[in-house]
Amino acid sequence: MSMPLPDDIDAVLPHRDSMRLIHRVVAWEDASIAVEVDVPAQGLFCTPDGVPAWVGVEYMAQAIAAWAGCRARHAGRAPSIGFLLGTRRYTAHQPFFTAGSCLRVEANCELLGENGLGMFACRILAGDIEMAVANVSVFEPTDAMAYLETGEA
């Protein structure tokens, strides 16, 4: 079942200013999300060839963060901080994302433990063309600030 979309990405994503790399939530459900990225020509990570494909890992991580933020808002809570733990089998089909293009980033929750550990199957599309694919591991502690201070979730 499709859920209501947030009016503003800032409402569901804790990243701000130049660290916010995704632009819109276009669909989300209980176990998945699709967001869009307008690939910039200038700014953080930009090169004359475009944005390096390795930045796609962060696009995927921010899509997952937006999914968690959408779920939190839907439950009446504020979005919280989560952590990218790593990726498995990140495969980019070209070395750069073209400046000016619009990418669709999809993340599907494959596993979410009560301890906050999660695994997502992600992909990045330019139109119908798959640009990158990976499995992404994340961690969302119950109390992120306490975790940062003590290392205990």
Side-chain angles (χ1 to χ4, degrees):
M1 177 172 112
S2 187
M3 303 291 205
L5 300 178
D7 294 330
D8 184 2
I9 194 75
D10 286 341
V12 296
L13 193 68
H15 303 72
R16 295 291 181 259
D17 303 320
S18 63
M19 289 309 299
R20 186 185 63 234
L21 303 181
I22 64 173
H23 296 94
R24 290 169 296 285
V25 174
V26 294
W28 80 276
E29 298 180 2
D30 190 47
S32 65
I33 192 163
V35 303
E36 289 182 339
V37 174
D38 298 324
V39 180
Q42 297 179 342
L44 195 60
F45 305 119
C46 295
T47 73
D49 295 320
V51 173
W54 55 263
V55 176
V57 173
E58 182 62 19
Y59 291 161
M60 292 173 178
Q62 288 193 22
I64 296 165
W67 173 80
C70 286
R71 286 175 39 111
R73 289 285 181 203
H74 189 69
R77 299 184 320 269
S80 64
I81 297 171
F83 302 95
L84 169 63
L85 297 180
T87 62
R88 293 189 67 197
R89 295 185 285 276
Y90 180 76
T91 303
H93 303 296
Q94 63 184 50
F96 294 92
F97 299 119
T98 304
S101 64
C102 179
L103 304 175
R104 180 181 174 100
V105 184
E106 299 175 347
N108 295 297
C109 183
E110 305 234 319
L111 175 70
L112 187 61
E114 290 182 22
N115 61 356
L117 290 172
M119 173 68 74
F120 289 77
C122 300
R123 67 184 187 151
I124 299 173
L125 303 163
D128 293 332
I129 300 169
E130 186 176 85
M131 305 295 285
V133 62
N135 292 326
V136 178
S137 300
V138 296
F139 175 53
E140 184 180 9
T142 305
D143 184 341
M145 296 316 287
Y147 180 77
L148 288 171
E149 292 174 9
T150 66
E152 296 179 18

